[in-house]
Amino acid sequence: MMNSSLIIAWVLTLRVHLLSRFSLALAAVGGLLFIVLTFFSYSNLYTQLNSDIHGRIQFLSEVYHNHGLERLTDIVARQGYSDDSADVLYFLEFKFADTSALAPAVVYRETATGPIQFLWQGLGSNTDNDHKMLAETKALNPGLMLTVGRFYQKEFDTINYLIGNVALVIAVFWLGAMVITSVATHRALMGTHRISKELRAIMGQNLARRLQPETVTPYLKDLVDVGNEMLEHVALSLQGVRSVSDNIAHDLRTPLTRLRNKLTQLKPQVPREYESTIDELLSDCDDLLGSFNALLRISMLEAGSQIRGDAKKVSLRVVLQDVVDMYEPVAHDAGVLLDFQAEYVDQINGETDLLGQMFANIIDNAIKFTASGGLIQIRLERFGPEQLSVSIADSGIGIPQAERKQVFRRFYRGEPSRSEHKGHGLGLSLVQAIAFYHRANVELKDNNPGLRVEVYFPLAI
Amino acid sequence: MKVLLIEDDSSVADFVTSELAVKGHNCERASTGTEGLLAANSARWDALIVDRMLPKLDGLSIIKSLRDKGDLTPVLILSALGEVDDRVKGLQIGADDYLVKPFSSEELMARLEAIHRRLAPLGADFRTTLEAEGLRLDLISQEVRRAGRIIVLQPREYRLLEYLMRNAGKIVTRSMLLENVWGYHFDPQTNVIDVHISRLRQKIDRGFDYPLVHTVRGAGYRFGDE
């Protein structure tokens, strides 16, 4: 089970993950918007300024051509130098030498703060910080150059101000979107997380329980409905398995027992020489019944719900010690040494009889497959913060790597087992079913030589 | 022993009745829950054998209603429901033992006699020694003597012997030993119990004229003669 801090961390990570992607995308869109806006604002400004300047030059050029130089100079003198605050600058240059219209020239303009120098080259712009200007020069005739300049600091400032505001709006919008998304994803994730936690609880404890659609946000209701539908299916098929098992119990075990009982009743009535045959038949019946019982138990354990967190607490050390005591004479007769060591450890939620069966099966196997003079080491240790590990390691023949998965299958029996030992081939299947019931994991490992069975149990909560 | 059997499956009922008759017990039958409860209340019984799944009234309800009114007649549950939960439920409600169907006749008889013995002479178990066939068990000092000679036993061997002696002359099955001496209810893979018995035998029977612990083939063990 995930603990809660882990889940919160998971939700946080997922949120950060989603948020970072979303914020990057949103920031990219915002940035693009900003760039496009800035580009169009400035280019629009320059287009307007240029057409304004061009219009004025056109007008003055027409004045010069239609009314002569006198009228032109009149206008230029009146407008060009008259007003300090004028945005437009006119400048006439008389060049009798053949100078190129595009040659750099210096224009002076008197202002309240003294002369300001503008440098331009043909159609160009000034880079002075406070007095931005665009200008265009036209040769009215080879000796007469007309220059019209246009200050645009005010317009430029206005646009900058507007663009600044737009950037601010985009940033605020971005932040707001982040907050809203963050809250929304958190709610959505907590909703799904609540559903998964609930489902886990239902699977582990009570399959009859259902998810409550009222407790989740409307957009998760569909998920809840689907989840409930699935639970319904699971419950139904579980019921099917149970009734089949019950039928097997009734329909197969009962006649077999009747057979066994009739044999028992027959025994005192037959001649002495047949008594041993009847004993053999009886023990065959017992083997068959043993297989049936083991099989039924495996099915019940696998199909049923796993152990609950509020189940009885059991000390694995006590159970292991009991089973070791129980098997000690068997091991002794086989010439095998049982060595049990346990750390002082906490308890697990468990069913004593099932755990006893589990360790009995493992230790019984270990004794069977270990030759005389061998050693079986049984260890109980803490494994990490939330698990206990039980390791049962023998010095016997082991199980080849390729067979390790198959030995858990029902009725599977390895080669040495088939030829030398009697058994129904359900021992390890039952071990695994019992492990499943206790939410434990069974692993088979090489003990070099021999087999090491490791079982990891979750500690009791 | 006067036994009431409440069981709806007539073949099981026939079998139990004939087994009880062979051992000289008297058995009455009821085939529904209500009939069974009526019969249980209308006479004194030495023991009840109750099926769990019965028509009209289930076995657990019968036991509960008997226990609720203070009836302590020994009850053995007979049931096809054999999971841990089922057993626990049955024993918690007041049954004295639980036998899972299908069962063998020896197991049934052994368990029935054991619960009957356990409860019949109330107060009889204030004994401080157990003595049979020349073997003496001091329950306080846990000293074991046979013909005056002290026998040293391991704690588990002592408990095994004590259980056998408390049931002297009767068959005890392997699963009864596992449940009562070790406190576990499961299916031991090999002859674990046999190995323990043979160890015990080596200590208490070796060097004496006659054995005290007998093997009853197909059933279990018996301390002393029948």
Side-chain angles (χ1 to χ4, degrees):
Chain A
M1 230 180 163
M2 272 203 271
N3 81 26
S4 54
S5 67
L6 259 178
I7 289 165
I8 288 170
W10 170 77
V11 167
L12 277 179
T13 345
L14 193 59
R15 204 170 78 201
V16 166
H17 180 74
L18 286 175
L19 265 183
S20 64
R21 294 200 157 193
F22 182 66
S23 68
L24 276 180
L26 205 64
V29 169
L32 200 68
L33 193 71
F34 180 77
I35 288 167
V36 166
L37 198 72
T38 313
F39 175 77
F40 279 110
S41 305
Y42 286 130
S43 88
N44 203 28
L45 173 68
Y46 289 124
T47 315
Q48 271 186 13
L49 288 172
N50 279 332
S51 84
D52 179 44
I53 293 167
H54 197 71
R56 283 172 199 272
I57 283 199
Q58 213 61 37
F59 169 70
L60 288 176
S61 169
E62 268 165 36
V63 167
Y64 171 70
H65 288 298
N66 296 339
H67 304 284
L69 180 65
E70 211 169 325
R71 184 71 184 271
L72 173 69
T73 49
D74 194 34
I75 294 174
V76 168
R78 206 155 16 95
Q79 294 190 357
Y81 289 102
S82 62
D83 190 358
D84 255 1
S85 61
D87 287 337
V88 192
L89 175 89
Y90 299 93
F91 185 72
L92 271 174
E93 192 181 9
F94 298 93
K95 281 199 173 163
F96 297 103
D98 183 18
T99 324
S100 166
L102 295 172
V106 176
V107 176
Y108 293 97
R109 179 171 181 258
E110 295 288 336
T111 68
T113 53
I116 297 162
Q117 198 175 55
F118 301 99
L119 180 70
W120 80 92
Q121 189 163 22
L123 175 69
S125 63
N126 175 277
T127 50
D128 182 294
N129 277 337
D130 298 322
H131 297 84
K132 296 198 182 310
M133 190 186 88
L134 268 182
E136 190 181 337
T137 301
K138 191 183 179 185
L140 296 178
N141 69 41
L144 182 61
M145 310 292 287
L146 171 63
T147 299
V148 176
R150 174 81 159 75
F151 293 96
Y152 65 96
Q153 188 66 45
K154 265 190 259 167
E155 288 91 337
F156 190 78
D157 285 347
T158 311
I159 286 179
N160 275 352
Y161 176 73
L162 282 176
I163 285 176
N165 278 352
V166 166
L168 196 70
V169 167
I170 289 178
V172 167
F173 176 74
W174 183 80
L175 267 175
M178 281 310 96
V179 170
I180 290 166
T181 332
S182 163
V183 169
T185 49
H186 182 77
R187 284 187 58 183
L189 285 175
M190 284 321 273
T192 50
H193 167 61
R194 232 194 355 258
I195 291 173
S196 60
K197 199 173 136 197
E198 189 83 354
L199 275 173
R200 219 185 287 274
I202 290 174
M203 269 167 26
Q205 294 170 11
N206 182 5
L207 270 172
R209 227 171 70 198
R210 292 289 174 269
L211 296 168
Q212 298 302 312
E214 305 86 48
T215 61
V216 297
T217 37
Y219 56 88
L220 286 175
K221 206 180 157 296
D222 192 40
L223 184 63
V224 168
D225 289 344
V226 172
N228 278 341
E229 221 169 287
M230 272 177 63
L231 284 174
E232 202 65 48
H233 278 293
V234 171
L236 267 178
S237 51
L238 209 69
Q239 226 172 0
V241 170
R242 289 229 170 94
S243 69
V244 165
S245 305
D246 287 350
N247 287 345
I248 291 175
H250 264 107
D251 300 347
L252 292 175
R253 283 197 300 174
T254 309
L256 196 59
T257 315
R258 206 172 296 149
L259 175 71
R260 192 194 184 282
N261 287 332
K262 293 214 165 112
L263 281 171
T264 322
Q265 286 172 332
L266 198 62
K267 201 173 143 190
Q269 297 162 32
V270 297
R272 244 193 194 296
E273 63 261 40
Y274 294 120
E275 261 188 23
S276 65
T277 315
I278 288 196
D279 281 338
E280 276 166 34
L281 290 175
L282 281 174
S283 109
D284 283 353
C285 281
D286 287 341
D287 287 348
L288 267 175
L289 279 167
S291 294
F292 269 135
N293 289 336
L295 202 57
L296 276 171
R297 185 160 262 195
I298 292 167
S299 306
M300 296 297 254
L301 287 171
E302 283 176 351
S305 51
Q306 288 172 299
I307 195 156
R308 296 201 204 178
D310 59 1
K312 216 171 43 185
K313 287 188 175 59
V314 173
S315 158
L316 276 183
R317 196 164 53 99
V318 170
V319 178
L320 272 168
Q321 187 66 61
D322 284 345
V323 177
V324 168
D325 285 349
M326 198 181 291
Y327 274 88
E328 196 281 318
V330 182
H332 184 265
D333 286 0
V336 177
L337 193 67
L338 287 186
D339 170 35
F340 174 50
Q341 282 176 34
E343 277 180 19
Y344 180 72
V345 278
D346 302 290
Q347 296 172 310
I348 64 158
N349 294 114
E351 205 63 75
T352 326
D353 289 339
L354 289 177
L355 292 169
Q357 177 86 69
M358 176 190 225
F359 297 133
N361 283 13
I362 300 175
I363 292 174
D364 191 78
N365 272 350
I367 295 173
K368 266 185 200 159
F369 296 111
T370 303
S372 179
L375 170 71
I376 297 171
Q377 289 177 307
I378 300 150
R379 298 280 180 273
L380 171 63
E381 282 157 358
R382 186 75 179 249
F383 186 80
E386 286 165 3
Q387 281 184 310
L388 290 182
S389 88
V390 175
S391 138
I392 297 166
D394 62 51
S395 60
I397 51 172
I399 297 178
Q401 178 77 43
E403 269 185 69
R404 281 186 202 155
K405 274 223 154 60
Q406 302 171 54
V407 291
F408 289 114
R409 290 208 324 243
R410 291 170 206 194
F411 298 114
Y412 181 87
R413 299 181 64 198
E415 202 34 62
S417 171
R418 200 177 292 280
S419 47
E420 287 168 31
H421 299 278
K422 82 177 214 158
H424 43 47
L426 290 169
L428 280 175
S429 310
L430 188 52
V431 165
Q432 200 170 44
I434 295 172
F436 170 77
Y437 176 74
H438 287 93
R439 302 172 196 281
N441 289 321
V442 188
E443 287 174 22
L444 301 182
K445 292 186 177 159
D446 222 318
N447 197 36
N448 295 318
L451 179 71
R452 194 163 80 240
V453 183
E454 290 176 355
V455 193
Y456 298 92
F457 291 92
L459 277 170
I461 312 145
Chain B
M1 210 187 326
K2 204 172 129 197
V3 179
L4 173 65
L5 170 68
I6 311 174
E7 166 67 83
D8 61 326
D9 181 337
S10 62
S11 68
V12 174
D14 288 345
F15 169 69
V16 173
T17 316
S18 71
E19 280 300 311
L20 286 169
V22 168
K23 304 273 179 197
H25 301 303
N26 186 3
C27 179
E28 293 285 319
R29 283 161 62 166
S31 56
T32 68
T34 44
E35 207 184 300
L37 185 59
L38 211 67
N41 281 319
S42 61
R44 274 190 59 91
W45 302 94
D46 294 318
L48 304 182
I49 302 174
V50 182
D51 186 16
R52 264 189 75 165
M53 290 182 291
L54 288 166
K56 293 183 185 163
L57 184 66
D58 71 283
L60 293 186
S61 307
I62 296 176
I63 299 166
K64 192 172 185 314
S65 106
L66 289 175
R67 294 297 185 244
D68 282 351
K69 69 181 194 63
D71 188 334
L72 292 175
T73 313
V75 175
L76 174 70
I77 293 184
L78 215 53
S79 174
L81 306 172
E83 285 311 301
V84 179
D85 281 356
D86 303 320
R87 295 176 54 85
V88 168
K89 214 182 286 172
L91 296 175
Q92 272 173 353
I93 218 155
D96 298 280
D97 204 351
Y98 197 108
L99 189 55
V100 179
K101 275 186 196 169
F103 52 90
S104 71
S105 55
E106 296 91 348
E107 194 77 48
L108 172 71
M109 292 314 301
R111 285 177 187 271
L112 194 61
E113 283 172 8
I115 60 167
H116 178 238
R117 248 187 333 275
R118 207 180 302 152
L119 292 162
L122 278 174
D125 259 359
F126 291 120
R127 288 179 292 179
T128 57
T129 55
L130 296 175
E131 200 161 0
E133 316 262 349
L135 187 75
R136 201 182 125 91
L137 213 73
D138 189 323
L139 292 172
I140 293 164
S141 67
Q142 305 211 331
E143 192 185 68
V144 182
R145 282 171 186 269
R146 184 171 180 186
R149 205 195 297 169
I150 289 188
I151 297 169
V152 181
L153 294 180
Q154 300 290 321
R156 191 74 70 179
E157 293 164 345
Y158 173 84
R159 283 174 59 192
L160 188 56
L161 179 62
E162 181 191 337
Y163 186 76
L164 285 166
M165 284 187 77
R166 284 190 188 277
N167 293 288
K170 311 284 180 196
I171 295 173
V172 290
T173 65
R174 288 177 180 80
S175 57
M176 283 165 79
L177 287 173
L178 192 65
E179 281 168 39
N180 291 291
V181 178
W182 279 270
Y184 282 88
H185 179 85
F186 63 80
D187 169 31
Q189 294 279 299
T190 25
N191 49 349
V192 182
I193 306 295
D194 302 355
V195 177
H196 283 274
I197 291 281
S198 84
R199 283 204 163 184
L200 179 64
R201 272 183 180 146
Q202 282 188 5
K203 291 192 175 169
I204 63 168
D205 285 346
R206 199 199 257 164
F208 293 98
D209 308 339
Y210 55 95
L212 290 177
V213 181
H214 304 279
T215 303
V216 184
R217 295 202 72 171
Y221 298 97
R222 190 186 63 236
F223 185 88
D225 292 326
E226 241 176 308

